[in-house]
Structures are given as C-alpha cells and as structure tokens.
Amino acid sequence: MPEFFIYADIIGIIAFSISGFLIAIKNDLDILGILIASALTALGGGIIRDTILSSAPFAFTSLYPALTLIVTILIAFIFKVYKKPSIERKLMFVISDTIGLVAFSITGAILAIHADYNFFGIIILSFITAVGGGVTRDIMINQVPTVLISDFYGSIAVIVALLLAGLELFDSLNEVTIVSVAVLSIILRLIAFKRGWHLPKLN
C-alpha cells in the first residue's frame, strides 16, 4: 500500500501542478506567481494533511514532490501550454484538476485508514488533502475557492472517502478496488461538469 500511495501522490502532484499552472496563466501571474500557484495547488493539501497527522510534511522530507512539480512546470513551458486556445486550456484544466482531486482524495483517505481514523476522520482528511491546496491558491489570487462554488467538486472527495472507508470495513481495500474507485470518481466528476450538476442552494 505505501508503494501505491506514492504512485497516487505523484499522479496528484502532476495533475494539480498543471491545474495550478493554468489558473496562474488565466490570472496573468508572472513566473514567480506561476511557480507559487502551482506549488500551493500541488503540495498545499498534502502539507496540511501531514500536519494533521503530526508527521513531517512529505513535501519537505522526500525529493520527489518538489522534483515532480518542477519537471511538470518545465514541460508545460516547453510545450507552451500557455499559448493554447482558451477552450483547450479550460478542458485541460478540468481534466487535470479532476485527476488531482481524485488522486489526493485517495492518498488522504488511505493515510487516514492506516492511522486508524474513524469514518469522520477519513472523510475530513481525504477532503482536506484534495482541496486544501486549491483553497490556499484561490485565496492567494483573491477569488472564491472553487470548492465553495464549483459543480460537484468537494463532493467527489467525500464520495471517494466513503467508498474507501466502506471497502476497508469489508476488508476489500486493495489496488484493484482503489483504481476502480478512482476511475468511477473521475468519470462522475467529468459527467457532473459536462451536465452542470450542482448541490442544492438556499434561495
């Protein structure tokens, strides 16, 4: 499971680095701003997660998080992602943000399960890992955090946590079931975006 956690973490960092990069481009940030926005998006949630778990943040003790972030940003520059048409950039953002959301929801839930957290703890840690970096980024660029207004966004993290907690309860948590949850959650999030699903609002 630790090996699988690292794979999921790398996927999440790559995906959120791209989404942070695209948000920075959309808001006309300079190179330093792009780096900060990407780093907050990709690493912020994990740092908050590890702090809650009372352990040294993975991003500060392991080489691969920062290395993955830098390599991803460099590739984005090399392939001139910032020059893509706005519609193409939006699609790329939605896909990368969805993959990052699901990947980090999984890593948060897995660590909570291994720390013997209850259902509530699993949901909260999964949620914070998934959206913590994005919320920090959005606050920095002075916009309402996506999780508060976006279609079915934070709900995906909760769904992932519930499914993984349920699988653990029935002793069915393994690589195959985790990948199945990931695929199902990504599809659900993309369908929700396409159809404009929202949670009910008070009028």
Side-chain angles (χ1 to χ4, degrees), residues 104-128:
F104 278 161
S105 297
I106 289 171
T107 62
I110 288 175
L111 286 179
I113 289 169
H114 277 253
D116 292 325
Y117 281 18
N118 60 22
F119 256 67
F120 180 72
I122 294 170
I123 292 170
I124 293 300
L125 199 66
S126 175
F127 185 83
I128 289 175

Side-chain angles (χ1 to χ4, degrees), residues 36-123:
I36 293 173
S38 299
L40 284 175
T41 310
L43 306 178
I47 292 172
I48 298 171
R49 173 201 68 206
D50 294 339
T51 301
I52 292 174
L53 289 168
S54 299
S55 61
F58 231 57
F60 299 159
T61 58
S62 299
L63 180 62
Y64 80 81
L67 189 60
T68 303
L69 168 72
I70 293 170
V71 169
T72 303
I73 293 174
L74 284 176
I75 291 174
F77 272 114
I78 291 170
F79 285 93
K80 299 183 178 179
V81 172
Y82 52 92
K83 290 189 176 181
K84 301 288 184 184
S86 58
I87 294 178
E88 190 176 342
R89 287 207 308 268
K90 183 177 180 180
L91 179 62
M92 193 183 305
F93 170 78
V94 171
I95 293 174
S96 63
D97 204 47
T98 298
I99 293 172
L101 173 71
V102 172
F104 278 161
S105 297
I106 289 171
T107 62
I110 288 175
L111 286 179
I113 289 169
H114 277 253
D116 292 325
Y117 281 18
N118 60 22
F119 256 67
F120 180 72
I122 294 170
I123 292 170

